[in-house]
Amino acid sequence: MVIVTLHGGDAFPVDFDTAIIPLFWRPKVKLVSRLYNIEHNKTIKTFSVSKSITWREFIAKKISLRGFFRWGPLYHTKDMEILLYKACYELLNKMRKAI
C-alpha cells in the first residue's frame, strides 16, 4: 500500500481586473496497492482509492473563526489521520472483495 497523494485543503481568491474567482480544494488522500503473486513474479490486480473531506465539513471549517482569521491550520494531524484511516478501510474492502 502506497500513499500517492496527500494534501491539505484551502481556498483563496484569484483576482483578475474584471472578476474575482474563488479557488477551493479539499483535503485529499489517494492510496494505491497491488496484489502480487511471489511464485509467478506477477501482479494479479492493482487497486486505488481517493478520499476527500466532504464539502459540508470543508465549508464549515472555512467559515469557522479559525478559518476566517487564519488562526493556525484548518486541518490538524488528527483530521488527516481520520481521512487516511477511511481510505485504508475502503481500499482493504476493495481488495478483500476481489479475492
Side-chain angles (χ1 to χ4, degrees):
M1 190 177 302
V2 177
I3 299 174
V4 178
T5 305
L6 177 65
H7 61 80
D10 206 353
F12 64 91
V14 176
D15 188 8
F16 298 106
D17 289 335
T18 57
I20 296 175
I21 299 174
L23 294 178
F24 301 98
W25 67 92
R26 300 176 291 167
K28 178 181 177 182
V29 63
K30 181 177 181 181
L31 302 175
V32 175
S33 69
R34 65 183 176 146
L35 288 176
Y36 189 77
N37 187 329
I38 295 174
E39 291 177 6
H40 297 102
N41 202 20
K42 193 173 188 181
T43 299
I44 298 169
K45 192 165 184 176
T46 304
F47 303 90
S48 69
V49 168
S50 292
K51 204 72 169 163
S52 297
I53 299 289
T54 63
W55 279 107
R56 181 179 178 179
E57 184 179 351
F58 176 73
I59 291 170
K61 286 213 180 216
K62 286 304 289 180
I63 62 174
S64 68
L65 288 175
R66 178 184 297 261
F68 187 74
F69 291 110
R70 298 247 184 218
W71 291 331
L74 281 181
Y75 297 94
H76 294 285
T77 305
K78 191 71 172 169
D79 298 320
M80 296 309 285
E81 282 178 6
I82 291 169
L83 189 60
L84 181 60
Y85 291 149
K86 288 178 181 179
C88 286
Y89 182 75
E90 189 174 323
L91 184 62
L92 289 172
N93 271 339
K94 274 186 170 183
M95 293 175 70
R96 184 180 54 82
K97 289 177 183 176
I99 294 178

